[in-house]
């Protein structure tokens, strides 16, 4: 199963496609200080939960980028009638952004789309004006990774302080953190398990059904035995001087 189809299936039940509650999503938007004059960019906008939260602040323009046609269409349906919102489907790096043309740029849980955390910070910082705000959602290490966890997720073997240093090293000022709780993580992962099980039951003859069932069983075992206590997840809000 290709990675895009995999995520479209396991996130079928997700409204917010990250380990965040609606209250924490609203807090992120509050920390970003969205104004009616702002241009806002969301990289990896998915089904549009963050876009919908931005709409409530009524900025003049909102652009969402997502690679998945399934997620992009869900966002279009969710935000139908909102003239200020534009959904662009395709690779984020193919989207031409003039430097310093946005007031707010975010990438919540999709740093892979911009070459990892460091590349994402650089890309977002270039996209916003002086005084602009960015937000990045990313896992971090709660404690030293075991060799098994490190082998699977070496790119996330960074502490909160490490990520803070990466942000400061780019001349950005960290102005807020919104961290997920264990309950947020459990809810996020549980929706994966439920959606995958439902799809496998409904499609027993699909060539990918057995593979998906086995993968989800392995992922669930890793989460319960090792990853639940090793990972944190947070959104980092920063300002460009």
């Amino acid at each position: 199963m290709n990675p895009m189809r995999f995520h479209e299936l396991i996130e079928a039940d997700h409204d917010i496609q990250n380990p965040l509650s609606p209250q924490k999503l609203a807090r992120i938007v509050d920390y970003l200080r969205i104004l009616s004059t702002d241009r806002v960019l969301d990289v990896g906008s998915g089904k549009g939960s963050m876009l919908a939260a931005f709409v409530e602040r009524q900025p003049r323009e909102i652009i969402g980028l997502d690679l998945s046609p399934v997620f992009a269409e869900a966002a279009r349906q969710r935000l139908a009638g909102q003239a200020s919102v534009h959904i662009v489907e395709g690779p984020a790096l193919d989207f031409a952004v003039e430097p310093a043309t946005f007031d707010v740029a975010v990438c919540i849980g999709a740093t892979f789309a911009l070459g990892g955390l460091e590349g994402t910070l650089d890309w977002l910082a270039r996209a916003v004006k002086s005084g602009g705000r960015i937000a990045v959602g990313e896992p971090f290490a709660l404690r030293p990774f075991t060799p098994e966890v490190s082998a699977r997720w070496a790119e996330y073997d960074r502490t909160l302080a490490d990520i803070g240093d990466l942000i400061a090293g780019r001349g950005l000022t960290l102005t807020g953190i919104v961290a997920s709780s264990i309950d947020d993580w459990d809810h996020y992962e549980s929706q994966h398990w439920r959606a995958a099980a439902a799809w496998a039951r409904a499609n027993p003859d699909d060539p990918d059904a057995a593979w998906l069932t086995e993968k989800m069983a392995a992922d669930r075992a890793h989460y319960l035995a090792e990853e639940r206590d090793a990972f944190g997840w947070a959104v980092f809000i920063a300002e460009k001087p």
Side-chain angles (χ1 to χ4, degrees):
M1 184 181 293
N2 70 63
M4 185 184 299
R5 185 178 185 228
F6 172 69
H7 283 95
E8 289 167 350
L9 289 179
I10 67 170
E11 295 191 357
D13 292 345
H14 286 67
D15 178 46
I16 299 173
Q17 293 170 272
N18 291 292
L20 290 168
S21 66
Q23 294 78 15
K24 289 179 180 177
L25 190 68
R27 188 179 302 164
I28 294 163
V29 176
D30 183 57
Y31 284 176
L32 286 166
R33 299 184 290 107
I34 307 294
L35 304 174
S36 61
T37 55
D38 283 347
R39 295 186 74 222
V40 179
L41 178 64
D42 182 0
V43 179
S45 52
K47 298 179 185 178
S49 59
M50 181 66 77
L51 301 177
F54 287 147
V55 164
E56 295 182 6
R57 300 300 179 100
Q58 300 183 327
R60 67 184 175 95
E61 184 180 19
I62 305 169
I63 297 176
L65 310 180
D66 206 90
L67 183 62
S68 165
V70 171
F71 295 158
E73 180 57 26
R76 291 188 189 101
Q77 293 182 16
R78 180 177 194 159
L79 296 160
Q82 297 291 340
S84 64
V85 179
H86 309 282
I87 308 296
V88 179
E89 185 182 317
L93 290 173
D94 288 352
F95 183 75
V97 177
E98 291 294 325
T101 52
F102 285 88
D103 301 282
V104 174
V106 307
C107 183
I108 310 300
T111 57
F112 58 86
L114 296 172
L117 177 59
E118 292 88 345
T120 297
L121 291 170
D122 293 337
W123 196 95
L124 297 179
R126 285 194 300 269
V128 298
K129 307 171 183 177
S130 295
R133 287 83 67 202
I134 71 167
V136 178
E138 186 81 343
F140 62 91
L142 289 171
R143 55 182 174 80
F145 282 2
T146 64
E148 293 78 13
V149 172
S150 187
R152 289 193 299 273
W153 302 109
E155 68 272 30
Y156 298 141
D157 194 0
R158 290 180 290 237
T159 66
L160 272 175
D162 292 335
I163 296 176
D165 288 344
L166 288 174
I167 291 169
R170 286 158 172 78
L172 302 166
T173 301
L174 185 65
T175 57
I177 298 175
V178 179
S180 299
S181 66
I182 286 291
D183 181 64
D184 295 329
W185 263 118
D186 286 348
H187 181 56
Y188 175 69
E189 293 294 339
S190 296
Q191 290 178 95
H192 288 157
W193 306 338
R194 182 179 63 185
W199 184 87
R201 283 196 306 271
N203 299 275
D205 298 325
D206 190 286
D208 288 325
W211 175 87
L212 181 63
T213 299
E214 291 175 7
K215 175 169 175 53
M216 295 309 295
D219 287 353
R220 183 167 51 246
H222 291 321
Y223 177 73
L224 295 174
E226 300 167 337
E227 295 169 0
R228 188 174 185 266
D229 296 325
F231 282 109
W233 197 90
V235 176
F236 301 80
I237 297 94
E239 185 171 312
K240 182 178 179 179

